[in-house]
Amino acid sequence: MSQDLYGILGVGKDASASEIKSAYRKIARKYHPDVNKEAGSEAKFKDIQKAYSVLSDPQRKQRYDQFGVADDSAAGSGGSGFGGFEGFSSNFGGNFEDIFDTFFGGSSRSQSSRSSSGEDLRFDLKITLEEAATGVEKDIEFYHLENDSGSAKKCSECNGLGQVKVVQRTMLGSFQQISTCPTCKGRGVIGQKKVKKKLSITIPAGIESGNQLRIAGEGNAGPIGGSAGDLYVFITVSEHDYFQRDGSDIYITLELPFTQLILGCSIDIPVLNGNATLKVPSGTQTDTRFRIKSKGLPRVQGFGKGDMYVKVIALFPKHLSSKEKQLVEQFQELRNDSVSTRNIEDCIVKR
Ligand SMILES: [Zn+2]
């Protein structure tokens, strides 16, 4: 098949995973056979599900983006590991997912839900820019499911599949839907308990927002005989009051009195976790950018540190005392800067 899967969901090719997901939810609701009785809506609904099953799976999406053809053979392969946010929830069961699965026949999660290991979990952690610069040790607390010793067993209602078939009768006839098993909440196992867990994790220097740390085996316990899922710690680095970050480089902007730029100066400025001296040479123009080598963040891949860039902006006084005004007028006279004595051609910035 060579359909325009993005077009079916009504999103652009550069749509993010969450944009794809929300577009899918919106359009799937509109065309769901229980809701939309127009001719052709069921076929459309199937196309929508197919498009989403490809675009929500990072590997299949990549193949589709590269070759323009959706790889149907990969359907249901599931277990492609971590990608996007499917199957993740910061609490147990992911209530919204469950409601969604019930309504839409498990389309959002059915492909990867039942593998032989427990669910992966997500933990969101915010750190400061200073902590990202040096690396930091953090204690985290979260809940995961552990098997009750001896009593964890396969769910008999769904036979460990985590899903049950439900027949829904509507005016158009009967539809078979697959929903999350109400007894085991989709886990295929009963006899597991929520346990609070404390861990100390080491966050490496140079980490960026969106980076994840995988902690193997700290997700939910697996079904009988299966391994536990993993815990993914999603890092967010807080915005700093005055430092801006771009990769391993740091940017800061200073406003300095124009006299300091004209005459030059030496000033102490903050850098990440310390101070440095910036020498502003005389005759510095406004908007000039200085580079202070190796005062950025450590490069995660590769060696050394990024740089710090300092932009200086000239501050002009808005009000002058009569003495100041006199001096500036004298200065203007000395330099022959008055408008009437300058050629306007000299003032125009040429490209
Ligand atoms: Zn069950």
Side-chain angles (χ1 to χ4, degrees):
M1 90 180 179
S2 59
Q3 288 169 292
D4 174 13
L5 302 185
Y6 291 97
I8 290 171
L9 297 183
V11 294
K13 285 194 164 48
D14 53 353
S16 68
S18 65
E19 284 166 348
I20 288 172
K21 189 172 183 172
S22 78
Y24 165 68
R25 286 192 163 147
K26 211 178 281 172
I27 196 168
R29 272 191 190 101
K30 189 172 160 197
Y31 287 100
H32 192 276
D34 284 355
V35 180
N36 194 321
K37 307 296 182 197
E38 278 172 42
S41 68
E42 201 179 334
K44 175 98 181 161
F45 183 68
K46 280 182 182 151
D47 282 346
I48 292 162
Q49 286 191 303
K50 205 174 191 181
Y52 182 67
S53 76
V54 174
L55 297 183
S56 61
D57 178 322
Q59 284 178 7
R60 296 179 67 198
K61 179 177 184 295
Q62 195 195 344
R63 277 196 295 272
Y64 174 70
D65 289 342
Q66 198 173 354
F67 303 111
V69 175
D71 181 2
D72 285 328
S73 65
S77 64
S80 57
F82 174 68
F85 296 92
E86 288 305 337
F88 278 77
S89 52
S90 47
N91 56 358
F92 290 102
N95 289 335
F96 188 71
E97 292 290 342
D98 284 349
I99 291 162
F100 188 73
D101 283 358
T102 309
F103 188 55
F104 290 123
S107 50
S108 80
R109 207 164 52 172
S110 59
Q111 284 173 16
S112 59
S113 56
R114 293 274 64 84
S115 56
S116 58
S117 58
E119 293 143 310
D120 294 330
L121 295 175
R122 170 179 177 149
F123 186 92
D124 290 293
L125 183 63
K126 211 171 197 177
I127 61 170
T128 65
L129 187 61
E130 284 86 353
E131 288 172 334
T134 52
V136 66
E137 192 106 333
K138 286 273 180 189
D139 292 329
I140 62 168
E141 260 184 33
F142 62 100
Y143 286 94
H144 66 186
L145 287 176
E146 291 183 5
N147 286 333
D148 256 343
S149 54
S151 67
K153 59 177 192 291
K154 201 199 267 183
C155 171
S156 56
E157 179 159 353
C158 63
N159 200 26
L161 295 171
Q163 293 173 335
V164 287
K165 285 177 182 159
V166 179
V167 176
Q168 253 195 11
R169 284 172 230 291
T170 72
M171 281 161 63
L172 277 190
S174 300
F175 293 94
Q176 196 179 60
Q177 291 201 328
I178 296 169
S179 18
T180 304
C181 172
T183 303
C184 63
K185 304 279 186 288
R187 286 188 293 274
V189 189
I190 49 172
Q192 291 184 320
K193 62 172 182 229
K194 225 187 221 189
V195 176
K196 193 187 219 177
K197 185 91 198 235
K198 280 185 193 179
L199 279 181
S200 182
I201 56 170
T202 304
I203 297 162
I207 202 157
E208 288 186 57
S209 283
N211 288 159
Q212 306 138 28
L213 303 171
R214 176 174 161 268
I215 301 165
E218 292 295 347
N220 284 340
I224 318 305
S227 54
D230 300 327
L231 176 74
Y232 286 86
V233 179
F234 279 58
I235 302 292
T236 301
V237 181
S238 309
E239 297 267 319
H240 198 277
D241 283 348
Y242 44 81
F243 289 129
Q244 261 129 47
R245 174 183 189 175
D246 182 17
S248 58
D249 294 332
I250 288 291
Y251 293 80
I252 191 174
T253 302
L254 301 177
E255 289 180 328
L256 297 176
F258 76 104
T259 50
Q260 286 196 293
L261 301 195
I262 293 174
L263 301 174
C265 62
S266 180
I267 39 172
D268 279 341
I269 58 163
V271 298
L272 276 173
N273 303 307
N275 284 285
T277 303
L278 177 71
K279 285 202 169 65
V280 180
S282 61
T284 293
Q285 304 295 303
T286 191
D287 273 347
T288 300
R289 206 164 71 171
F290 297 95
R291 184 171 77 143
I292 306 179
K293 261 189 86 105
S294 301
K295 290 292 181 191
L297 290 103
R299 295 192 180 96
V300 180
Q301 283 149 340
F303 300 97
K305 283 179 162 188
D307 301 323
M308 176 158 156
Y309 292 91
V310 185
K311 186 161 97 171
V312 296
I313 296 175
L315 260 187
F316 295 94
K318 283 183 181 150
H319 306 285
L320 295 173
S321 67
S322 57
K323 172 114 196 255
E324 287 166 345
K325 195 175 173 206
Q326 240 175 32
L327 286 170
V328 176
E329 279 169 351
Q330 270 177 34
F331 182 80
Q332 187 187 45
E333 213 171 298
L334 270 172
R335 295 192 54 90
N336 212 16
D337 277 347
S338 113
V339 179
S340 56
T341 59
R342 285 198 74 174
N343 185 346
I344 190 64
E345 280 291 319
D346 296 338
C347 304
I348 296 170
V349 177
K350 295 168 187 80
R351 286 203 248 198

